[in-house]
Amino acid sequence: MKKTKTIIRYFVLGTIATLLVACGFLYFAVFSGLTNDSESMEDASEYLGSTNIAHAANNNITAEQLLARAINGEARGEPYEGQVAVGAVILNRVKSADFPNTIAGVIYQPWAFTSVHDGQIDLPIEEGSTCLQAARDALNGWDPTNGCLYFWNPETATSSWIWTRQVMTKIGKHNFGI
Amino acid sequence: MKFRKVFLYSLATAVTIGLASYAIVMSDRAEQNHRDLNNSYDRAFYDLTSYMDNVEVLLAESMIIAHPVNTSITLEEIWRQANLAQENISQLPVGQSVLSTTSKFLNQLSTLAYAASNSVSSTGEIPESYRSELENMHQYCLSLATDLHYMEDSISDGTLDWGVLGQTLYHGGTSDLISPLGDHLVDIPEIVYDGQYSDHLTNSVPKGLKGNDITSEDAVEIMKAILEEAGVETPVVTLKGESEGVIPIYSLGIETADGSNANAAITKTGGMLLWYLWGKESTDEINISIAEAQEMGADFLAAIGFEEMVATHTETVYNSDTGNIITVNYCYEKDGVRYYPDLVKVRIDGTDGTVVGVEARGYINCHSYRDSIEAAISEEDALTYISSDVTVDSISRAVIPTDYGTEKDVYEITVNYMDKTFLVYIDVMTGREERILVKTPE
C-alpha cells in the first residue's frame, strides 16, 4: 500500500515536472516562432554558406547574380554549353509574351523551376564554377538552344505536361524544347 | 528497482509530451506559412481582378474621349494597368497553358495601347486600325473580367487552396475553376501593330541569310576554317545535329587540343556562323589591351565574312574563377552610318588572344542592303532638338532597331551631363527624340 503510494507520488511529481518543462518549451517555441524570425534566417544563411557566393564586377549585378544562381541550381553539373543554354531559356521566356516579363518573374514563377521549388537555387556557387560566366554569356545574347522556351531532364522530369513539348535539341542531360 | 521503473515511466511520458508539443508547434507554424502563402496568392488575384475591371472601363472610355491629351493619358493608363494585371497573373500557380493565353493577351493589350498612345501624341488621334483592334480587345477584356469575378466566390469563401491547385496542375491535372480561364482568348485573331508583342514578329524571316544551301560536310569545313582564324589549334569538328527553327542550322561539336569542348552553329542557308562558344579555362594574366582586342576581333570578323564591322562597346571581365574575357560588340558601318541592328559580338581570351566566342544572331536577322536616306533635318537643326543642359561631344548618322522589328534612321549625338556620357537618338526625318541611352564605361 505504502509502495503504491510512493510510486503514485513519484509518478505524479515526475509528470508535473515534465509538464512544466514541456510548457516552458512550448512557450519558448511559440514565442520564438512569432517574434524571432531573424534567428532562423541566420541559421539558413549559415547552412547555405551564402558568404561564399562569388560576386561579379559588372553594372548588371542583380540580373547576372540571379541568373547565375538559377543556372547553378538547375545545371551546375552540366557542360558549359548546357549552362549557357539554361540561362538562354530563362531570357527567352522574359522576351516571350507567354511568360512573365522580368528575370525574377520568370525564375520565381510558381512551379516553373524545380530548383526554386526545392531550394537548390540558394546553394552557394562553388569557387571556380562557370555558372557566373555562363550567365554573363547568356545575357550577352549567346543562345545554344536557338530560341527554346523549355528544358527538362528526361530522367527526372515529374511534370507530365512537359512531355507535350517538342524537343528541339539535347545538351548534356537536358532536353530543350518549344 | 521501483525507482528505476518510475523514472522510466516519467521519461516515457516526458518524451511523448515533448514530441506532441513539438508536433503541435511545427504544424501550427506550417499552417501559418501555408496561410501566408495563400494570402499572397489571394492578394495577387484580387489585384489582378481590379486591374482587369479598370482596364475594361478605361478601354470603353478611350473610345469616346475627344481631346488628344486625354486620349493619350487614358491609353497610357491602359498600358500600365494591363501590364500590372499581367504581372499579377504570372505570380499565380494557374499552370502554363492558362498563363500563356492570358499573359499573351494582356501583353499585347498593354503594348497595343502604348503604340496607340504614341500615335496619338504624334498625329492627335488613334489610327483607325488600332481603334478597331482596341474595340475588339475590349470584348475579350469583358469576358476575362467576368471569368475572374466568377472565380472570386471560391476565393472569398476560402475554398480554393492555391498550393493544392499548383500541385494538381503541375502533375497534369485540371481544375474546373481555373482551367477554363481565358479559354475564349485563343480565338483572338493575329494582331499587327508597332509594338513589342505584335504577331508579325514571331513570323519574321531573317534578312541576312544569303546564298545557297550547304551540306553538313560543308558546315564542318566552314567551321574548321573559322577556328583556324580564331586561333584554335588542331580542333576536331563533328556534326551534332540539325535544327529548323527560325534560322535553320547545323549544330557542331568541337574538341580542342587541350581536350575541352566548344560548340557552334552554322546556318544551312549561306553557311554563316550563327554562334560559337568555347568555355575555355583561362587565367587572370592579362596580355591583351581593349584596343588590341577590338582590332583582333574586327580582323577576325572580316576574315570569316562579316565585313566593315566597327567596335561599338567593349565589356571586360577579370575574374579569378573564370579568367579574363573581353567581349566586344560590333556593328556594320557604311558611308559613315552605323547600323546597330547588324550586331555581332566577339569574345576574346584576354590572356592569349584566342577568339572564344561569336554571336551573330542580330546581324543574320537584320543585315540587308539599305538605301541611304536623305535627312530632312540637318545636323545643326538636330542639335536644337536636344536638351540645352548638356555638352555635345559628337554627332553622326546611325540606324537603330525598334521594338517591333523595324529600323529608324537617326542622328546619334554623344553628350555629357554631370560627368556621365549619354547617347541621344534624333529621328533624321521628324526630329523626334527616339531614345536616350546611358553609355556604360568600358
Side-chain angles (χ1 to χ4, degrees), chain B residues 223 227 232 235-238 252-256 260-264 276:
Chain B
M223 196 62 220
L227 290 168
V232 182
V236 180
V237 181
T238 48
L252 304 167
I254 301 149
E255 199 179 317
T256 54
S260 64
N261 289 303
N263 299 87
Y276 146 64

Side-chain angles (χ1 to χ4, degrees), chain B residues 257-276:
Chain B
D258 66 356
S260 64
N261 289 303
N263 299 87
I266 299 278
T267 63
K268 286 187 176 178
T269 307
M272 294 173 81
L273 180 63
L274 179 63
W275 64 267
Y276 146 64

Side-chain angles (χ1 to χ4, degrees), chain A residues 18 81 97 101 137 140 142 158, chain B residues 14 103 107 170 263 276 347 358:
Chain A
T18 318
E81 186 200 10
N101 299 334
D137 284 332
N140 258 326
W142 269 269
T158 48
Chain B
S103 170
N107 272 328
Y170 179 76
N263 299 87
Y276 146 64
R347 282 169 106 236
V358 177

Side-chain angles (χ1 to χ4, degrees), chain B residues 44-183:
Chain B
F45 176 82
Y46 285 117
D47 271 351
L48 162 68
T49 312
S50 68
Y51 287 130
M52 274 319 296
D53 286 343
N54 292 350
V55 167
E56 188 273 306
V57 171
L58 287 162
L59 269 169
E61 287 174 2
S62 70
M63 294 295 127
I64 57 156
I65 295 173
H67 197 285
V69 172
N70 292 343
T71 310
S72 186
I73 290 171
T74 310
L75 288 167
E76 276 181 25
E77 201 52 29
I78 295 171
W79 165 54
R80 193 179 74 86
Q81 299 221 22
N83 197 20
L84 285 165
Q86 192 275 344
E87 200 175 304
N88 277 291
I89 199 164
S90 66
Q91 284 170 23
L92 291 172
V94 291
Q96 192 52 46
S97 51
V98 168
L99 182 66
S100 292
T101 34
T102 50
S103 170
K104 185 177 177 199
F105 169 69
L106 291 167
N107 272 328
Q108 287 194 322
L109 175 59
S110 82
T111 46
L112 172 66
Y114 184 73
S117 165
N118 263 344
S119 287
V120 173
S121 23
S122 53
T123 64
E125 56 182 8
I126 307 179
E128 200 40 52
S129 62
Y130 285 5
R131 174 177 279 273
S132 63
E133 294 288 14
L134 287 167
E135 269 171 5
N136 194 20
M137 291 289 226
H138 181 222
Q139 296 310 313
Y140 287 104
C141 252
L142 267 173
S143 54
L144 183 57
T146 312
D147 283 358
L148 290 169
H149 283 295
Y150 170 73
M151 287 171 62
E152 209 174 324
D153 291 340
S154 304
I155 287 156
S156 304
D157 66 14
T159 47
L160 179 71
D161 185 323
W162 292 101
V164 173
L165 174 76
Q167 198 149 11
T168 310
L169 296 172
Y170 179 76
H171 292 292
T174 53
S175 143
D176 293 343
L177 191 65
I178 302 286
S179 302
L181 183 64
D183 254 0

Side-chain angles (χ1 to χ4, degrees), chain B residues 29 63 67 87 138 169 202 213 217 237-238 289 298 317 321 331 338 356 376 430:
Chain B
R29 215 180 262 186
M63 294 295 127
H67 197 285
E87 200 175 304
H138 181 222
L169 296 172
T202 44
D213 284 0
E217 291 81 22
V237 181
T238 48
S289 71
V317 178
D321 283 346
C331 77
R338 285 183 169 189
V356 288
T430 62

